[in-house]
Amino acid sequence: MSDGHGGTARRVVVTGLGPVSSIGTGVTDFLDGLRAGRSGARPMELFDTKGFEYSNGCEVADFDPTRWQREVAVGDVGRATQFALAAARLATADAGLSSADLAGARTLIAVGTTDGEAHELDRIVEHEVGRPVADSPETMARRVPVGTLSAAVAQEFGLSQAETITIATACAAGNYAIGYGLDAIRLGEADIALCGGADAVCRKTFAGFYRLGTIAPEVCQPFDVDRKGILTGEGGGILVLEALDSALARGARIHAEVLGYGLNCDAHHPVAPFQDRIADCVRLALSDAGVKPGEVDLISAHGTGTAANDVTESSAIRDVYGKEMPRTVSMKSMLGHSMGAASALGAIGCALAIEHGFIPPTINHKHTDPECAVDCVPNHSVTADLRVVQNNGLAFGGNNSVVILGRYES
């Protein structure tokens, strides 16, 4: 592949993974959760759910930011930023990179989110309506700006020269961040990229989806004929990307190679996905990766568990792959919909699936919707030899993002 300037683009690999999720934090626990088909669903406790008929979600239970934050004071940042910091600490440790290593490199930090610290906005509103909150509105307001999610990571590692960017394309944002990092490294503009996403559950998001009638009462059942909708979730996922020659030179473990990505925005409808443009986005990603549809072994779908998404997304996949659709799973059946973290956690799951030779299941599955007609690997993970995997992220407003990962082969 050309770098666009007459040179050859560098190959980019994943050398560090940092998952923080409702089914496990850190590579070992997260991998165990994916293999076991663990469910993160439980009654939500982070905000008052009085008045809602049902309120299951996928919170990161017992999350303790003091385990990860060494430089940024816990009270200075909100819950989503705390997830980003924990995920970045986990990913760099997994990659074997110190703060000094990052400071000595041209480091990029790209973090996706929905709208930053929405949980803090919830609490500011609570203060305005007279409910007691622990912090002052001024303190909470300082935590809100979306740029904090990436800037705080730079602060945590003492990186005064790093490029930081927060990308607010919500459910597609993690893949957007990975694509941004991929371009920066393969074009020689960065040496190390910490890419991913983070979001925290909040009443605003839950109530919005509840009003739309898309919250499931108990569990998330993607591609099932009896699905009821999504479960809102939270977490963070950061991947360390670097050039292949850099990884080989320092003897780093390579989880997977980032082969390519595609992005588009159809602006078709505020909330309804658009089949043709999703298919176009998949084609863009495959073209960028230099991969033919027949070479893809697995698709990690956006797979929210709503009829609008599941039918439209599976139809778009069929438009690209025809009758030979790869197995298509939804990790949201386990993780819930972690919004800005969703496609980052999906990408981490894809990298682990490639590295460890298995396919994560779609849990809570009973009867496949004939309008979807996918092999979603129901309820139990299976062993598989995976060379190329596709990770989908689709967001409100028609923001679509697809990342293609592959097994590293010299």
Side-chain angles (χ1 to χ4, degrees):
M1 174 180 290
S2 168
D3 64 359
H5 302 285
T8 301
R10 301 193 294 180
R11 293 173 67 182
V12 178
V13 293
V14 181
T15 56
L17 301 172
V20 179
S21 81
S22 59
I23 68 166
T25 291
V27 168
T28 300
D29 202 19
F30 187 66
L31 174 61
D32 289 347
L34 292 178
R35 283 189 186 279
R38 188 181 297 158
S39 173
R42 58 178 64 87
M44 286 197 288
E45 300 177 348
L46 197 61
F47 57 87
D48 183 3
T49 59
K50 183 179 179 181
F52 295 103
E53 186 176 352
Y54 40 83
S55 57
N56 269 5
C58 294
E59 293 179 350
V60 181
D62 301 322
F63 176 69
D64 179 7
T66 62
R67 292 182 62 194
W68 320 107
Q69 291 180 223
R70 301 166 194 166
E71 303 298 332
V72 175
V74 170
D76 286 351
V77 294
R79 188 172 172 87
T81 303
Q82 292 170 3
F83 287 145
L85 291 168
R89 280 290 186 193
L90 286 163
T92 53
D94 185 53
L97 292 170
S98 66
S99 295
D101 293 329
L102 297 175
R106 294 173 300 165
T107 300
L108 164 70
I109 299 164
V111 181
T113 185
T114 301
D115 47 12
E117 296 289 0
H119 179 62
E120 297 298 319
L121 290 171
D122 272 4
R123 299 175 70 224
I124 291 172
V125 173
E126 288 182 15
H127 173 81
E128 291 298 317
V129 299
R131 292 185 179 181
V133 292
D135 299 309
S136 70
E138 293 81 7
T139 298
M140 293 184 285
R142 282 197 293 269
R143 299 172 184 150
V144 168
V146 296
T148 303
L149 271 74
S150 55
V153 174
Q155 183 183 355
E156 176 68 18
F157 290 100
L159 305 177
S160 59
Q161 301 298 319
E163 176 186 353
T164 64
I165 181 170
T166 303
I167 302 174
T169 48
C171 317
N175 273 353
Y176 267 75
I178 293 169
Y180 193 88
L182 170 62
D183 276 346
I185 292 178
R186 66 183 175 185
L187 297 178
E189 297 173 353
D191 301 315
I192 301 288
L194 310 184
C195 306
D199 259 329
V201 295
C202 64
R203 182 186 288 107
K204 173 182 74 70
T205 300
F206 178 80
F209 280 101
Y210 194 95
R211 291 289 188 187
L212 288 171
T214 57
I215 294 287
E218 297 181 357
V219 296
C220 179
Q221 299 173 271
F223 307 118
D224 194 289
V225 72
D226 293 321
R227 61 187 171 271
K228 303 294 191 301
I230 74 168
L231 291 182
T232 56
E234 64 178 2
I238 295 290
L239 299 86
V240 175
L241 309 187
E242 62 182 297
L244 173 61
D245 54 0
S246 165
L248 294 176
R250 66 184 189 88
R253 176 181 54 189
I254 296 174
H255 293 288
E257 182 169 359
V258 189
L259 301 177
Y261 74 103
L263 310 174
N264 64 14
C265 180
D266 52 60
H268 167 69
H269 189 277
V271 298
F274 185 14
Q275 177 179 332
D276 291 349
R277 295 297 283 154
I278 294 171
D280 286 344
C281 191
V282 174
R283 295 187 183 98
L284 285 170
L286 293 174
S287 175
D288 187 53
V291 168
K292 298 176 182 176
E295 296 174 315
V296 176
D297 300 307
L298 172 68
I299 296 174
S300 168
H302 187 57
T304 58
T306 66
N309 176 86
D310 292 358
V311 173
T312 305
E313 184 179 16
S314 57
S315 297
I317 293 170
R318 192 171 297 105
D319 286 346
V320 176
Y321 289 91
K323 296 180 181 178
E324 305 299 324
M325 289 175 62
R327 283 180 281 192
T328 301
V329 302
S330 172
M331 298 185 209
K332 290 184 179 67
S333 62
M334 296 178 272
L335 298 162
H337 196 335
S338 51
M339 309 297 162
S343 51
L345 288 170
I348 291 174
C350 291
L352 291 172
I354 291 169
E355 182 179 9
H356 295 276
F358 77 105
I359 298 179
T362 302
I363 65 169
N364 310 313
H365 197 81
K366 295 179 180 177
H367 306 289
T368 302
D369 183 348
E371 289 194 78
C372 298
V374 297
D375 177 355
C376 67
V377 188
N379 302 317
H380 302 285
S381 62
V382 298
T383 300
D385 181 28
L386 304 175
R387 292 187 64 252
V388 180
V389 175
Q390 171 184 321
N391 184 49
N392 290 359
L394 316 175
F396 280 176
N399 282 300
N400 306 310
S401 62
V402 175
V403 164
I404 308 294
L405 299 176
R407 184 169 64 202
Y408 165 63
E409 295 175 348
S410 57

